[in-house]
Amino acid sequence: MKTSFPSTALVRYAHNKSKQAILKRMSTSGYQLNSHGELQTPEDNSELVLCRYCDLLQHLPELQPGEEAHCSQCGHQLDSRHPQPILRPILFASSALFMLVLANLFPFIQLFAAGSQHQMNFFDTSSVLFAVHHPALAILVWLLIQAIPAFCMMAVIYLKLGMIMSLPGRMWVARVLFMLKPWSMVDIFLIGLLVSFVKLVSSADISLGLSFWAFCLFCLLHLRTFQVIDRREMWARIGVNPKPLLTAKAGLPGVSQRLKVCHCCTALVPLQQMHCSRCGSQVHVRIPASIQKTLALLTTAAILYIPANLYPIMVTVSVGQRTESTIVTGIQLLWLDGAYPVAIIIAIASVVIPLFKIVILFWLCYLALQPQSDRQDISTWVFRWVDWIGRWSMVDVLVVAILAALVRFDLLMSVYPGPAAVIFATVVITTMLAALSFDPRLLWDQSNENEADMQQATAKEIL
């Protein structure tokens, strides 16, 4: 039995608007309010779009600044519009880069303990790890908090300037930008700094340098830059959006109408076509071997999760005495010191979230192999939530990097990363890759018709 869904995306306001503004929008464009108070738009003058979470083909209306379009089936945000779509991202990204330069020029943090002092620069979070023979961890931290965020801001500036003047290589820059976006972790590093301060405040005095405040501004500007980017609008300026066949009908799954969506630029691609005609990315009807790859990565993460909690993640050398602490013992020390909120945050980020994410993704793989049920809405929402929150488990690894760079008092006291730091970072990265490998559309298309279409399309792709 097939279920029919609204053929037009639901429009919501990104910010609170008055009732008069909503009524004016309805009167000028033919919008109507549905039972949930959302704007149901007319199908005239709208383009077709495929939801990458549930594969529903629907009309995407022309949006006004401050509006968002959400999938009428699973609720995923399809598009949004912000005022001044070129100027604001350029200003935010340029300011963020300037603050990042300042964060690397001046003292970041100074630590005073037992008559000694140590000054830490922002770059020390990576360079000290090299000095203590942890090159893999040093490169990872440098990529997550400096290289990738800096590239993302420069890419935004380049792409937005490319909307005004014709610049080469915009396709490649846009593809890399959205591929690297989840791996920019300056916000997690900021939380790691706060956790480190709580660990040290009882035994040392902390002085915050100019670079610390510059980094805080960089973090806020970096997050704001991504918030004001309209992805579909930017891709529309880079290349023309391919038009689907006239026979395509909104309100039905794309695979049943011989259509698939490009995950890079969100363009519609005919089922028999291997590459996107706009960005050139290889497009599959579903992620190839999605369940198999996800299960393999999850199994790897589950195996590594055991030594990550058994081996020490941090080693403290104080007056010649060596103290090793695992993730759990570190949480216990924070709790005994009375830092209950921080202990709870670390416990959730380092113990609960990785384990919860592994279990949930195993459960989603199981659901994807079962006949279609009424659990698609909740399972898709759970997947989006797990995919977003999983990166926050990296906070414990960044805390170790911060303490290793900050607590350097030679024989008096020094902190070094333990073997579990690299192992736990591998667990977090593996679970993130598992979420990227899982195709949530498998939760929606277990009917016989769709399964036959996918098998036929997959066979053509192999040939």
Side-chain angles (χ1 to χ4, degrees):
M1 178 179 174
K2 287 189 176 182
T3 306
S4 60
F5 294 94
S7 60
T8 309
L10 301 175
V11 177
R12 302 170 186 168
Y13 284 104
H15 307 287
N16 292 329
K17 285 203 172 187
S18 64
K19 183 178 180 181
Q20 290 78 7
I22 297 177
L23 293 175
K24 182 179 178 181
R25 179 78 165 112
M26 292 169 59
S27 63
T28 55
S29 57
Y31 282 46
Q32 294 181 345
L33 286 175
N34 65 6
S35 58
H36 300 288
E38 299 161 326
L39 293 179
Q40 186 72 46
T41 59
E43 298 179 4
D44 298 335
N45 301 322
S46 61
E47 62 174 317
L48 288 173
V49 62
L50 265 177
C51 177
R52 67 184 184 95
Y53 279 90
C54 67
D55 199 44
L56 181 68
L57 186 67
Q58 52 205 296
H59 291 279
L60 181 65
E62 183 178 352
L63 299 178
Q64 299 298 322
E67 291 180 345
E68 300 174 348
H70 291 255
C71 176
S72 58
Q73 180 171 249
C74 71
H76 169 63
Q77 181 178 309
L78 300 172
D79 198 8
S80 63
R81 285 292 178 271
H82 296 90
Q84 299 177 328
I86 297 178
L87 179 61
R88 295 177 74 202
I90 290 178
L91 290 178
F92 283 130
S94 302
S95 302
L97 284 176
F98 179 68
M99 290 301 162
L100 181 59
V101 172
L102 292 181
N104 283 276
L105 290 180
F106 300 99
F108 197 70
I109 302 172
Q110 281 186 319
L111 191 66
F112 303 89
S116 301
Q117 68 172 356
H118 176 72
Q119 179 178 288
M120 166 190 165
N121 296 321
F122 185 41
F123 189 70
D124 288 344
T125 51
S126 303
S127 61
V128 170
L129 294 175
F130 265 112
V132 296
H133 309 293
H134 284 80
L137 195 60
I139 294 173
L140 176 64
V141 171
W142 178 73
L143 287 173
L144 297 180
I145 66 174
Q146 291 225 49
I148 293 177
F151 173 83
C152 290
M153 295 300 98
M154 290 188 289
V156 169
I157 297 172
Y158 187 84
L159 291 172
K160 290 299 179 179
L161 289 177
M163 294 182 178
I164 305 174
M165 59 191 78
S166 181
L167 297 176
R170 287 181 295 161
M171 291 284 185
W172 181 86
V173 174
R175 289 172 61 179
V176 176
L177 170 64
F178 292 108
M179 180 183 66
L180 293 180
K181 179 185 173 182
W183 303 95
S184 178
M185 299 188 180
V186 293
D187 48 346
I188 303 175
F189 184 77
L190 184 59
I191 299 299
L193 284 171
L194 300 179
V195 173
S196 301
F197 294 162
V198 173
K199 284 176 175 272
L200 297 172
V201 71
S202 61
S203 58
D205 294 327
I206 300 172
S207 176
L208 304 179
L210 177 62
S211 288
F212 172 82
W213 301 110
F215 175 78
C216 292
L217 291 176
F218 165 68
C219 183
L220 295 176
L221 291 167
H222 175 274
L223 295 176
R224 186 58 181 159
T225 300
F226 280 115
Q227 289 177 349
V228 298
I229 291 178
D230 304 326
R231 182 171 180 174
R232 287 186 60 86
E233 188 262 349
M234 186 173 69
W235 273 110
R237 298 286 192 95
I238 294 176
V240 179
N241 188 17
K243 297 294 183 182
L245 298 174
L246 296 177
T247 55
K249 184 179 180 181
L252 297 175
V255 69
S256 66
Q257 303 184 74
R258 321 294 301 170
L259 290 173
K260 52 188 177 180
V261 62
C262 175
H263 277 229
C264 180
C265 70
T266 70
L268 294 180
V269 181
L271 212 58
Q272 68 276 9
Q273 187 173 317
M274 292 296 298
H275 293 84
C276 176
S277 56
R278 176 159 67 178
C279 70
S281 301
Q282 189 172 8
V283 184
H284 298 278
V285 60
R286 295 292 181 265
I287 297 177
S290 172
I291 301 297
Q292 293 88 333
K293 288 189 291 188
T294 304
L295 290 176
L297 290 167
L298 289 177
T299 304
T300 303
I303 294 173
L304 292 176
Y305 183 76
I306 299 173
N309 283 273
L310 294 179
Y311 286 101
I313 194 170
M314 186 171 64
V315 178
T316 304
V317 178
S318 178
V319 197
Q321 184 177 1
R322 178 186 176 95
T323 304
E324 298 180 345
S325 58
T326 63
I327 295 175
V328 176
T329 56
I331 296 171
Q332 291 174 345
L333 289 175
L334 287 172
W335 189 269
L336 293 175
D337 290 339
Y340 304 123
V342 177
I344 293 173
I345 291 173
I346 294 296
I348 293 174
S350 301
V351 179
V352 178
I353 290 179
L355 187 60
F356 179 76
K357 186 173 183 179
I358 292 172
V359 173
I360 288 297
L361 286 176
F362 270 122
W363 174 68
L364 292 176
C365 289
Y366 169 77
L367 287 183
L369 297 174
Q370 302 305 306
Q372 198 173 32
S373 64
D374 296 330
R375 294 175 291 185
Q376 288 91 343
D377 286 335
I378 184 64
S379 57
T380 303
W381 179 86
V382 168
F383 170 74
R384 288 202 300 263
W385 184 79
V386 167
D387 185 28
W388 173 81
I389 203 172
R391 58 196 290 272
W392 286 91
S393 298
M394 195 64 76
V395 65
D396 218 358
V397 177
L398 296 178
V399 167
V400 172
I402 294 167
L403 293 177
L406 188 56
V407 184
R408 309 298 299 171
F409 294 109
D410 297 327
L411 295 177
L412 180 62
M413 179 180 288
S414 295
V415 172
Y416 301 91
V422 176
I423 301 174
F424 188 75
T426 307
V427 171
V428 178
I429 293 173
T430 306
T431 55
M432 291 180 66
L433 293 175
L436 292 173
S437 300
F438 181 76
D439 197 331
R441 294 170 295 183
L442 297 175
L443 298 168
W444 293 87
D445 52 21
Q446 289 299 316
S447 63
N448 294 331
E449 295 89 347
N450 289 352
E451 196 169 294
D453 287 334
M454 281 189 295
Q455 290 176 355
Q456 185 178 359
T458 305
K460 288 185 177 181
E461 288 181 351
I462 295 175
L463 294 176

